[in-house]
Amino acid sequence: MDSKRLDEARRLLAKAETKYKFSTYGGDYRRLLDYLLSPDFTELLLVLGVDLAKKLLQAIAENYQDQDIKECVDKLLNEIDGYESQSEETTSRMLTY
């Protein structure tokens, strides 16, 4: 990831920690769920790209024991995988024409 995108991702995360109050430093980790389901998180995913977004979500799943967070992460990963499949199908169809 280039430094410009990395800076943007850091900025978005800092803003989200303040807005959703999920910081590991005195915040409520369960508020992370609110963030994961928000358009703000979608914006971060667009900055990160598919591969890094999946790595981030996998790290969240590994580091949090909360079942609701794990289920949300699984749902998001499935959505990303579905999006990837659709993109590949569209590209494949475009190449055959």
Side-chain angles (χ1 to χ4, degrees), residues 48-77:
L48 293 177
V50 172
D51 292 335
L52 282 177
K54 288 170 82 170
K55 286 180 184 179
L56 172 63
L57 288 166
Q58 290 163 348
I60 291 169
E62 291 170 6
N63 289 292
Y64 287 90
Q65 301 305 315
D66 186 278
Q67 192 59 36
D68 290 334
I69 290 175
K70 287 184 175 290
E71 288 174 9
C72 180
V73 166
D74 287 342
K75 178 181 177 253
L76 291 168
L77 285 169

Side-chain angles (χ1 to χ4, degrees), residues 19-50:
K19 181 176 180 179
Y20 294 93
K21 299 176 178 45
F22 63 82
S23 173
T24 54
Y25 304 105
D28 182 354
Y29 75 90
R30 292 171 298 205
R31 300 286 314 261
L32 179 61
L33 188 59
D34 295 334
Y35 176 56
L36 293 175
L37 296 171
S38 75
D40 295 322
F41 185 68
T42 302
E43 183 179 2
L44 176 66
L45 295 182
L46 293 172
V47 170
L48 293 177
V50 172

Side-chain angles (χ1 to χ4, degrees), residues 1-13 47:
M1 171 182 285
D2 63 65
S3 62
K4 187 175 180 178
R5 284 183 33 208
L6 181 60
D7 288 343
E8 179 66 9
R10 285 181 180 151
R11 185 189 68 75
L12 291 172
L13 278 171
V47 170

